[in-house]
Amino acid sequence: MDHISTDAAFMHDPAGWDRIPAPKGGCLLAPQGVPGGTLGALTAGQLSRLCEVAGLDPGDTRGYVDAVVAALGTVAGRPLDLPPATDTFLSDDHTPVEYSLSFTPGEAPVLRVLLDPGCGADSLARGGRVGLDVVRRMARRWNFSTERLDELADLFLPPDPQGPLALWCALELRPGGVPKVKVYLNPAARGAQRSAETVREALHRLGHRRAFATLPPADRLLFFALDLGDWDEPRVKVYLAHQDVSAAGAGALSRTAGRAGHAEFRDFFHTVTGGTHDGPGLTRRPFQSCHAFTETASGLPSGFTLYVPVRDHARHDAEALERAVTVLERHGMDAGPLIRAVPAVTDRRLTDGVGLVAYVSLAHQQGRPPRVTVYVSAEAYRVRPPNLPAPQPQAVH
């Protein structure tokens, strides 16, 4: 870690960062959540600074910031001293925006933004319609087709949807001002008991008739996702939740041809959890897997990703960030941009909360090097207090 030793020291105790007082209820207020600020202003500032970290030029940055703030609709102008407009489970504090940096060896990191564009709607059905309209406006702006999404609208955007979300979208911000676009849909929209039926039918309509049968056992289906626009190999992705899984079990979830990388995923699991989870019942959030399908002949996924909710396994964000840095370095990736991304999002001390670094994921896509992605919360409304260490057993005298 010699090449980032200065940044590593900075992330643990940055000079000049003030401790945030804990208000009543034991929950820390985020430093940005002050009277007079708005969600749009906060998002614009965070995203502008993150674009600089990712090496995007000022012109591209302005265009992306404008597009993201516009996608938030009326909630962009909502003051931060008011509670969130709706309870979106996109983030712990219901901020409808999440950032991530995706790393591959020898390349600049890719900045992504995940949005809940219908977060200001008064119902899930209305939120889905707003989200779909936002994606269609993006399609007109950046000249891509929504045909595959439109083909699935009756499955995932029914008149009376159920579940925790309607439609999320993500922008992968590339040089040149035209992002890659992804949409995330809710398998339980027609009822949790019909989730498998819904996902199986969606895969079938898109030509992946054998894909559902290849998925591993899981506790539930989380998301159905589509790549839209300019992708070399557009993916259809199925996300699964795994509540109780061991390190060995996590490595065995992959269903790609040859199922390579078991040992790599096991080591990744151990590193990100800090060895605190190797059996059932020890985490609040499930681990997640994603199976990406690009070809229809074999039925097998061409990509597999494992997501670990690091914030449930670290005492505070300094520890979570340190583990993410370790993973990046072990895979030959420069962790400097991730460390510089922290002060681009918050000015709080990392030991004062946990959840800024929300997830760390490791992806294997056939024909490509491994990819590590670190997910960073906006913390517009709240900061989750640090996790307390487990009580030590008392000696018996």
Tab-separated table of all heavy atoms in Angstrom, residues 150-198:
chain	number	residue	atom	x	y	z
A	150	ASP	N	-40.229	-1.722	-23.219
A	150	ASP	CA	-41.659	-1.612	-23.526
A	150	ASP	C	-42.319	-2.988	-23.619
A	150	ASP	O	-43.485	-3.169	-23.249
A	150	ASP	CB	-41.857	-0.849	-24.835
A	150	ASP	CG	-41.373	0.592	-24.754
A	150	ASP	OD1	-41.311	1.131	-23.629
A	150	ASP	OD2	-41.045	1.167	-25.805
A	151	GLU	N	-41.559	-3.968	-24.117
A	151	GLU	CA	-42.096	-5.319	-24.278
A	151	GLU	C	-42.431	-5.971	-22.937
A	151	GLU	O	-43.242	-6.906	-22.872
A	151	GLU	CB	-41.077	-6.179	-25.036
A	151	GLU	CG	-41.571	-7.539	-25.451
A	151	GLU	CD	-40.562	-8.301	-26.294
A	151	GLU	OE1	-39.565	-7.682	-26.727
A	151	GLU	OE2	-40.768	-9.509	-26.506
A	152	LEU	N	-41.822	-5.459	-21.850
A	152	LEU	CA	-42.002	-6.068	-20.531
A	152	LEU	C	-42.865	-5.232	-19.596
A	152	LEU	O	-43.047	-5.587	-18.430
A	152	LEU	CB	-40.629	-6.286	-19.880
A	152	LEU	CG	-39.604	-7.100	-20.670
A	152	LEU	CD1	-38.293	-7.166	-19.912
A	152	LEU	CD2	-40.129	-8.493	-20.971
A	153	ALA	N	-43.391	-4.112	-20.086
A	153	ALA	CA	-44.086	-3.170	-19.209
A	153	ALA	C	-45.267	-3.810	-18.493
A	153	ALA	O	-45.526	-3.527	-17.314
A	153	ALA	CB	-44.542	-1.956	-20.012
A	154	ASP	N	-46.026	-4.683	-19.163
A	154	ASP	CA	-47.194	-5.279	-18.511
A	154	ASP	C	-46.803	-6.198	-17.366
A	154	ASP	O	-47.579	-6.397	-16.414
A	154	ASP	CB	-48.028	-6.048	-19.541
A	154	ASP	CG	-47.260	-7.210	-20.155
A	154	ASP	OD1	-46.139	-6.968	-20.672
A	154	ASP	OD2	-47.760	-8.356	-20.133
A	155	LEU	N	-45.584	-6.775	-17.427
A	155	LEU	CA	-45.127	-7.669	-16.368
A	155	LEU	C	-44.662	-6.902	-15.135
A	155	LEU	O	-44.949	-7.303	-14.000
A	155	LEU	CB	-43.976	-8.545	-16.878
A	155	LEU	CG	-44.285	-9.547	-17.981
A	155	LEU	CD1	-43.000	-10.246	-18.425
A	155	LEU	CD2	-45.309	-10.568	-17.501
A	156	PHE	N	-43.917	-5.830	-15.358
A	156	PHE	CA	-43.258	-5.150	-14.248
A	156	PHE	C	-43.908	-3.824	-13.857
A	156	PHE	O	-43.595	-3.272	-12.798
A	156	PHE	CB	-41.786	-4.915	-14.591
A	156	PHE	CG	-40.992	-6.182	-14.730
A	156	PHE	CD1	-40.654	-6.666	-15.987
A	156	PHE	CD2	-40.601	-6.897	-13.615
A	156	PHE	CE1	-39.920	-7.843	-16.126
A	156	PHE	CE2	-39.868	-8.065	-13.734
A	156	PHE	CZ	-39.536	-8.545	-14.995
A	157	LEU	N	-44.785	-3.304	-14.691
A	157	LEU	CA	-45.456	-2.041	-14.391
A	157	LEU	C	-46.965	-2.215	-14.554
A	157	LEU	O	-47.614	-1.552	-15.357
A	157	LEU	CB	-44.932	-0.931	-15.308
A	157	LEU	CG	-43.433	-0.637	-15.196
A	157	LEU	CD1	-42.979	0.298	-16.302
A	157	LEU	CD2	-43.082	-0.069	-13.833
A	158	PRO	N	-47.565	-3.114	-13.766
A	158	PRO	CA	-49.005	-3.361	-13.862
A	158	PRO	C	-49.787	-2.187	-13.251
A	158	PRO	O	-49.204	-1.315	-12.597
A	158	PRO	CB	-49.186	-4.642	-13.046
A	158	PRO	CG	-48.099	-4.589	-12.026
A	158	PRO	CD	-46.926	-3.965	-12.736
A	159	PRO	N	-51.090	-2.160	-13.428
A	159	PRO	CA	-51.884	-1.043	-12.905
A	159	PRO	C	-51.818	-0.899	-11.390
A	159	PRO	O	-51.902	0.212	-10.864
A	159	PRO	CB	-53.314	-1.386	-13.364
A	159	PRO	CG	-53.130	-2.285	-14.539
A	159	PRO	CD	-51.892	-3.069	-14.260
A	160	ASP	N	-51.688	-2.015	-10.660
A	160	ASP	CA	-51.652	-1.966	-9.208
A	160	ASP	C	-50.426	-2.727	-8.706
A	160	ASP	O	-50.529	-3.831	-8.165
A	160	ASP	CB	-52.937	-2.586	-8.638
A	160	ASP	CG	-53.033	-2.436	-7.129
A	160	ASP	OD1	-52.373	-1.537	-6.578
A	160	ASP	OD2	-53.761	-3.226	-6.501
A	161	PRO	N	-49.246	-2.145	-8.862
A	161	PRO	CA	-48.013	-2.878	-8.553
A	161	PRO	C	-47.829	-3.087	-7.050
A	161	PRO	O	-48.320	-2.322	-6.226
A	161	PRO	CB	-46.919	-1.972	-9.109
A	161	PRO	CG	-47.513	-0.604	-9.071
A	161	PRO	CD	-48.972	-0.786	-9.349
A	162	GLN	N	-47.099	-4.136	-6.717
A	162	GLN	CA	-46.734	-4.439	-5.339
A	162	GLN	C	-45.228	-4.380	-5.203
A	162	GLN	O	-44.497	-4.232	-6.178
A	162	GLN	CB	-47.265	-5.822	-4.957
A	162	GLN	CG	-48.763	-5.962	-5.088
A	162	GLN	CD	-49.240	-7.347	-4.709
A	162	GLN	OE1	-48.759	-7.954	-3.749
A	162	GLN	NE2	-50.207	-7.873	-5.466
A	163	GLY	N	-44.762	-4.500	-3.963
A	163	GLY	CA	-43.337	-4.555	-3.737
A	163	GLY	C	-42.710	-3.219	-3.405
A	163	GLY	O	-43.386	-2.193	-3.337
A	164	PRO	N	-41.391	-3.201	-3.235
A	164	PRO	CA	-40.707	-2.017	-2.723
A	164	PRO	C	-40.271	-1.006	-3.775
A	164	PRO	O	-39.787	0.070	-3.413
A	164	PRO	CB	-39.483	-2.616	-2.028
A	164	PRO	CG	-39.181	-3.843	-2.837
A	164	PRO	CD	-40.521	-4.376	-3.293
A	165	LEU	N	-40.380	-1.320	-5.058
A	165	LEU	CA	-39.948	-0.375	-6.085
A	165	LEU	C	-40.736	-0.621	-7.351
A	165	LEU	O	-41.334	-1.688	-7.536
A	165	LEU	CB	-38.452	-0.490	-6.392
A	165	LEU	CG	-38.014	-1.646	-7.311
A	165	LEU	CD1	-36.808	-1.240	-8.140
A	165	LEU	CD2	-37.698	-2.894	-6.510
A	166	ALA	N	-40.704	0.374	-8.234
A	166	ALA	CA	-41.328	0.229	-9.550
A	166	ALA	C	-40.261	0.172	-10.632
A	166	ALA	O	-40.136	-0.821	-11.357
A	166	ALA	CB	-42.294	1.386	-9.812
A	167	LEU	N	-39.462	1.219	-10.744
A	167	LEU	CA	-38.428	1.280	-11.778
A	167	LEU	C	-37.298	2.173	-11.294
A	167	LEU	O	-37.535	3.309	-10.866
A	167	LEU	CB	-39.001	1.818	-13.092
A	167	LEU	CG	-38.063	1.899	-14.295
A	167	LEU	CD1	-38.872	1.756	-15.596
A	167	LEU	CD2	-37.286	3.223	-14.347
A	168	TRP	N	-36.096	1.667	-11.323
A	168	TRP	CA	-34.891	2.460	-11.096
A	168	TRP	C	-34.111	2.498	-12.405
A	168	TRP	O	-34.262	1.624	-13.274
A	168	TRP	CB	-33.996	1.844	-10.029
A	168	TRP	CG	-34.572	1.835	-8.652
A	168	TRP	CD1	-35.665	2.512	-8.192
A	168	TRP	CD2	-34.075	1.084	-7.537
A	168	TRP	NE1	-35.877	2.246	-6.871
A	168	TRP	CE2	-34.918	1.367	-6.435
A	168	TRP	CE3	-33.002	0.217	-7.347
A	168	TRP	CZ2	-34.718	0.803	-5.169
A	168	TRP	CZ3	-32.802	-0.345	-6.096
A	168	TRP	CH2	-33.649	-0.047	-5.019
A	169	CYS	N	-33.277	3.508	-12.552
A	169	CYS	CA	-32.390	3.548	-13.718
A	169	CYS	C	-30.989	3.948	-13.269
A	169	CYS	O	-30.810	4.634	-12.260
A	169	CYS	CB	-32.906	4.495	-14.799
A	169	CYS	SG	-32.917	6.232	-14.355
A	170	ALA	N	-30.013	3.491	-14.010
A	170	ALA	CA	-28.614	3.788	-13.717
A	170	ALA	C	-27.947	4.327	-14.963
A	170	ALA	O	-28.209	3.862	-16.077
A	170	ALA	CB	-27.882	2.540	-13.229
A	171	LEU	N	-27.090	5.300	-14.773
A	171	LEU	CA	-26.301	5.884	-15.850
A	171	LEU	C	-24.832	5.580	-15.605
A	171	LEU	O	-24.307	5.854	-14.522
A	171	LEU	CB	-26.497	7.403	-15.919
A	171	LEU	CG	-27.931	7.916	-16.044
A	171	LEU	CD1	-27.934	9.436	-16.116
A	171	LEU	CD2	-28.621	7.316	-17.256
A	172	GLU	N	-24.194	4.991	-16.596
A	172	GLU	CA	-22.756	4.759	-16.563
A	172	GLU	C	-22.117	5.891	-17.356
A	172	GLU	O	-22.285	5.974	-18.578
A	172	GLU	CB	-22.434	3.386	-17.170
A	172	GLU	CG	-21.009	2.945	-16.969
A	172	GLU	CD	-20.824	1.474	-17.298
A	172	GLU	OE1	-21.418	0.620	-16.606
A	172	GLU	OE2	-20.080	1.201	-18.268
A	173	LEU	N	-21.424	6.772	-16.657
A	173	LEU	CA	-21.002	8.042	-17.244
A	173	LEU	C	-19.682	7.887	-17.995
A	173	LEU	O	-18.626	7.691	-17.398
A	173	LEU	CB	-20.879	9.104	-16.135
A	173	LEU	CG	-22.110	9.238	-15.233
A	173	LEU	CD1	-21.923	10.390	-14.249
A	173	LEU	CD2	-23.386	9.417	-16.051
A	174	ARG	N	-19.750	8.008	-19.314
A	174	ARG	CA	-18.585	7.804	-20.169
A	174	ARG	C	-18.100	9.127	-20.747
A	174	ARG	O	-18.887	10.075	-20.906
A	174	ARG	CB	-18.945	6.863	-21.323
A	174	ARG	CG	-19.443	5.510	-20.901
A	174	ARG	CD	-19.702	4.634	-22.113
A	174	ARG	NE	-20.769	5.175	-22.961
A	174	ARG	CZ	-21.120	4.657	-24.128
A	174	ARG	NH1	-20.471	3.610	-24.595
A	174	ARG	NH2	-22.101	5.188	-24.835
A	175	PRO	N	-16.832	9.226	-21.085
A	175	PRO	CA	-16.365	10.406	-21.825
A	175	PRO	C	-17.139	10.557	-23.133
A	175	PRO	O	-17.476	9.564	-23.785
A	175	PRO	CB	-14.886	10.090	-22.091
A	175	PRO	CG	-14.500	9.116	-21.026
A	175	PRO	CD	-15.734	8.286	-20.777
A	176	GLY	N	-17.457	11.791	-23.488
A	176	GLY	CA	-18.211	12.049	-24.698
A	176	GLY	C	-19.633	12.497	-24.449
A	176	GLY	O	-20.328	12.912	-25.376
A	177	GLY	N	-20.093	12.399	-23.199
A	177	GLY	CA	-21.397	12.936	-22.847
A	177	GLY	C	-22.584	12.045	-23.108
A	177	GLY	O	-23.727	12.470	-22.911
A	178	VAL	N	-22.361	10.795	-23.552
A	178	VAL	CA	-23.464	9.856	-23.787
A	178	VAL	C	-23.260	8.659	-22.867
A	178	VAL	O	-22.317	7.889	-23.049
A	178	VAL	CB	-23.529	9.394	-25.254
A	178	VAL	CG1	-24.666	8.392	-25.441
A	178	VAL	CG2	-23.701	10.587	-26.181
A	179	PRO	N	-24.134	8.470	-21.877
A	179	PRO	CA	-23.937	7.381	-20.918
A	179	PRO	C	-24.473	6.053	-21.432
A	179	PRO	O	-25.259	6.002	-22.382
A	179	PRO	CB	-24.769	7.843	-19.714
A	179	PRO	CG	-25.919	8.567	-20.358
A	179	PRO	CD	-25.333	9.268	-21.571
A	180	LYS	N	-24.039	4.987	-20.791
A	180	LYS	CA	-24.733	3.713	-20.918
A	180	LYS	C	-25.869	3.713	-19.895
A	180	LYS	O	-25.707	4.220	-18.785
A	180	LYS	CB	-23.779	2.550	-20.660
A	180	LYS	CG	-22.699	2.396	-21.726
A	180	LYS	CD	-21.825	1.185	-21.426
A	180	LYS	CE	-20.795	0.966	-22.527
A	180	LYS	NZ	-19.938	-0.219	-22.250
A	181	VAL	N	-27.012	3.160	-20.266
A	181	VAL	CA	-28.207	3.230	-19.435
A	181	VAL	C	-28.668	1.828	-19.064
A	181	VAL	O	-28.659	0.919	-19.896
A	181	VAL	CB	-29.343	3.991	-20.153
A	181	VAL	CG1	-30.586	4.061	-19.284
A	181	VAL	CG2	-28.875	5.398	-20.546
A	182	LYS	N	-29.069	1.674	-17.809
A	182	LYS	CA	-29.615	0.414	-17.321
A	182	LYS	C	-30.915	0.702	-16.584
A	182	LYS	O	-31.050	1.755	-15.954
A	182	LYS	CB	-28.630	-0.278	-16.369
A	182	LYS	CG	-27.333	-0.704	-17.022
A	182	LYS	CD	-26.341	-1.235	-16.013
A	182	LYS	CE	-25.558	-0.109	-15.367
A	182	LYS	NZ	-24.426	-0.606	-14.548
A	183	VAL	N	-31.846	-0.221	-16.636
A	183	VAL	CA	-33.079	-0.107	-15.858
A	183	VAL	C	-33.216	-1.331	-14.966
A	183	VAL	O	-32.812	-2.438	-15.338
A	183	VAL	CB	-34.329	0.052	-16.748
A	183	VAL	CG1	-34.316	1.380	-17.461
A	183	VAL	CG2	-34.454	-1.093	-17.740
A	184	TYR	N	-33.794	-1.097	-13.790
A	184	TYR	CA	-34.006	-2.150	-12.800
A	184	TYR	C	-35.500	-2.230	-12.497
A	184	TYR	O	-36.132	-1.213	-12.203
A	184	TYR	CB	-33.224	-1.853	-11.517
A	184	TYR	CG	-31.738	-1.830	-11.732
A	184	TYR	CD1	-31.100	-0.703	-12.256
A	184	TYR	CD2	-30.959	-2.949	-11.442
A	184	TYR	CE1	-29.735	-0.687	-12.470
A	184	TYR	CE2	-29.587	-2.944	-11.652
A	184	TYR	CZ	-28.981	-1.803	-12.168
A	184	TYR	OH	-27.625	-1.794	-12.390
A	185	LEU	N	-36.042	-3.439	-12.562
A	185	LEU	CA	-37.471	-3.673	-12.411
A	185	LEU	C	-37.721	-4.646	-11.265
A	185	LEU	O	-36.814	-5.382	-10.847
A	185	LEU	CB	-38.050	-4.210	-13.716
A	185	LEU	CG	-37.824	-3.319	-14.946
A	185	LEU	CD1	-38.065	-4.102	-16.234
A	185	LEU	CD2	-38.693	-2.074	-14.885
A	186	ASN	N	-38.966	-4.668	-10.792
A	186	ASN	CA	-39.324	-5.407	-9.593
A	186	ASN	C	-39.997	-6.736	-9.932
A	186	ASN	O	-41.138	-6.740	-10.420
A	186	ASN	CB	-40.259	-4.541	-8.747
A	186	ASN	CG	-40.780	-5.261	-7.529
A	186	ASN	OD1	-40.189	-6.222	-7.058
A	186	ASN	ND2	-41.906	-4.793	-7.022
A	187	PRO	N	-39.351	-7.885	-9.654
A	187	PRO	CA	-39.981	-9.173	-9.946
A	187	PRO	C	-41.292	-9.393	-9.202
A	187	PRO	O	-42.143	-10.161	-9.660
A	187	PRO	CB	-38.926	-10.188	-9.492
A	187	PRO	CG	-37.631	-9.458	-9.610
A	187	PRO	CD	-37.953	-8.041	-9.216
A	188	ALA	N	-41.475	-8.728	-8.053
A	188	ALA	CA	-42.679	-8.916	-7.245
A	188	ALA	C	-43.783	-7.939	-7.598
A	188	ALA	O	-44.751	-7.794	-6.843
A	188	ALA	CB	-42.330	-8.789	-5.759
A	189	ALA	N	-43.680	-7.263	-8.728
A	189	ALA	CA	-44.671	-6.237	-9.079
A	189	ALA	C	-46.076	-6.797	-9.149
A	189	ALA	O	-47.045	-6.108	-8.824
A	189	ALA	CB	-44.285	-5.593	-10.410
A	190	ARG	N	-46.221	-8.043	-9.578
A	190	ARG	CA	-47.548	-8.669	-9.657
A	190	ARG	C	-47.811	-9.572	-8.453
A	190	ARG	O	-48.729	-10.403	-8.481
A	190	ARG	CB	-47.662	-9.472	-10.955
A	190	ARG	CG	-47.514	-8.634	-12.216
A	190	ARG	CD	-47.851	-9.435	-13.457
A	190	ARG	NE	-46.961	-10.580	-13.635
A	190	ARG	CZ	-47.206	-11.627	-14.414
A	190	ARG	NH1	-48.336	-11.675	-15.108
A	190	ARG	NH2	-46.338	-12.613	-14.534
A	191	GLY	N	-47.034	-9.368	-7.398
A	191	GLY	CA	-47.154	-10.180	-6.190
A	191	GLY	C	-45.917	-11.030	-5.983
A	191	GLY	O	-45.364	-11.583	-6.943
A	192	ALA	N	-45.466	-11.123	-4.734
A	192	ALA	CA	-44.253	-11.888	-4.443
A	192	ALA	C	-44.388	-13.344	-4.866
A	192	ALA	O	-43.420	-13.972	-5.317
A	192	ALA	CB	-43.932	-11.788	-2.954
A	193	GLN	N	-45.605	-13.890	-4.732
A	193	GLN	CA	-45.821	-15.297	-5.073
A	193	GLN	C	-45.695	-15.539	-6.575
A	193	GLN	O	-45.567	-16.692	-7.005
A	193	GLN	CB	-47.200	-15.763	-4.575
A	193	GLN	CG	-48.391	-15.243	-5.367
A	193	GLN	CD	-48.772	-13.810	-5.024
A	193	GLN	OE1	-48.109	-13.154	-4.203
A	193	GLN	NE2	-49.843	-13.317	-5.628
A	194	ARG	N	-45.714	-14.468	-7.375
A	194	ARG	CA	-45.598	-14.618	-8.831
A	194	ARG	C	-44.226	-14.150	-9.346
A	194	ARG	O	-44.040	-14.020	-10.557
A	194	ARG	CB	-46.703	-13.832	-9.536
A	194	ARG	CG	-48.116	-14.283	-9.176
A	194	ARG	CD	-49.167	-13.543	-9.977
A	194	ARG	NE	-49.109	-13.871	-11.410
A	194	ARG	CZ	-49.872	-13.294	-12.340
A	194	ARG	NH1	-50.738	-12.346	-11.973
A	194	ARG	NH2	-49.776	-13.652	-13.602
A	195	SER	N	-43.285	-13.898	-8.440
A	195	SER	CA	-41.977	-13.383	-8.859
A	195	SER	C	-41.280	-14.313	-9.848
A	195	SER	O	-40.763	-13.876	-10.889
A	195	SER	CB	-41.076	-13.163	-7.632
A	195	SER	OG	-41.563	-12.137	-6.821
A	196	ALA	N	-41.251	-15.598	-9.534
A	196	ALA	CA	-40.579	-16.543	-10.431
A	196	ALA	C	-41.278	-16.600	-11.782
A	196	ALA	O	-40.622	-16.606	-12.840
A	196	ALA	CB	-40.538	-17.933	-9.787
A	197	GLU	N	-42.596	-16.634	-11.760
A	197	GLU	CA	-43.360	-16.643	-13.008
A	197	GLU	C	-43.064	-15.400	-13.845
A	197	GLU	O	-42.900	-15.476	-15.077
A	197	GLU	CB	-44.855	-16.697	-12.674
A	197	GLU	CG	-45.785	-16.567	-13.858
A	197	GLU	CD	-47.233	-16.369	-13.420
A	197	GLU	OE1	-47.585	-16.768	-12.298
A	197	GLU	OE2	-48.010	-15.786	-14.216
A	198	THR	N	-42.987	-14.253	-13.173
A	198	THR	CA	-42.737	-12.997	-13.878
A	198	THR	C	-41.357	-12.980	-14.524
A	198	THR	O	-41.203	-12.614	-15.698
A	198	THR	CB	-42.890	-11.807	-12.906
A	198	THR	OG1	-44.240	-11.758	-12.433
A	198	THR	CG2	-42.532	-10.497	-13.571
